Amino acid sequence: QVQLVESGGGLVQPGGSLRLSCAASRSIFSGNVMGWYRQAPGTQRDRVALISPGGNTDYRDSVKGRFTISRDNAKNTVYLQMNSLKPDATAVYFCNRVPPFPNSWGQGTQVTVSS
């Protein structure tokens, strides 16, 4: 069974921080590259960051230096620490494998950056 459960979103002021968590089923997490994606209203879903099973990471340019992805392989959980948040980070955030399982998206977690 493929399951993804995201949490940790909320309303934060510009410049603030949030830490997102994603609990994944072992079938999707174990041995796979995992990623965080986001989708703002009226836009496509884009990948924000990814992390390999060994901990190698990559980020889209707009979040480099401010976002940090990590994973706990024992807990099948991936995290996204987001610092210095800007209003353009407002979106629903999802996690999934990279490339994603197409029919296995979770509900996501809403992040709103606003004063």
Side-chain angles (χ1 to χ4, degrees), residues 58-101:
D58 191 35
Y59 301 89
R60 65 184 299 119
D61 287 346
S62 61
V63 307
K64 284 181 179 178
R66 298 184 298 115
F67 289 15
T68 303
I69 188 172
S70 60
R71 65 192 288 161
D72 185 330
N73 292 332
K75 296 181 179 180
N76 296 338
T77 301
V78 62
Y79 305 96
L80 186 67
Q81 177 68 42
M82 306 186 294
N83 298 327
S84 302
L85 281 161
K86 303 176 182 180
D88 63 5
T90 295
V92 180
Y93 284 71
F94 303 87
C95 68
N96 206 325
R97 190 191 66 172
V98 178
F101 283 107

Side-chain angles (χ1 to χ4, degrees), residues 14-90:
S17 299
L18 284 174
R19 188 190 193 213
L20 308 183
S21 299
C22 171
S25 57
R26 184 176 182 180
S27 61
I28 193 173
F29 186 92
S30 183
N32 287 320
V33 177
M34 295 296 294
W36 280 97
Y37 303 77
R38 68 186 179 189
Q39 186 169 21
T43 70
Q44 65 181 15
R45 190 171 299 175
D46 292 326
R47 191 177 69 234
V48 176
L50 64 81
I51 185 167
S52 72
N56 293 322
T57 60
D58 191 35
Y59 301 89
R60 65 184 299 119
D61 287 346
S62 61
V63 307
K64 284 181 179 178
R66 298 184 298 115
F67 289 15
T68 303
I69 188 172
S70 60
R71 65 192 288 161
D72 185 330
N73 292 332
K75 296 181 179 180
N76 296 338
T77 301
V78 62
Y79 305 96
L80 186 67
Q81 177 68 42
M82 306 186 294
N83 298 327
S84 302
L85 281 161
K86 303 176 182 180
D88 63 5
T90 295

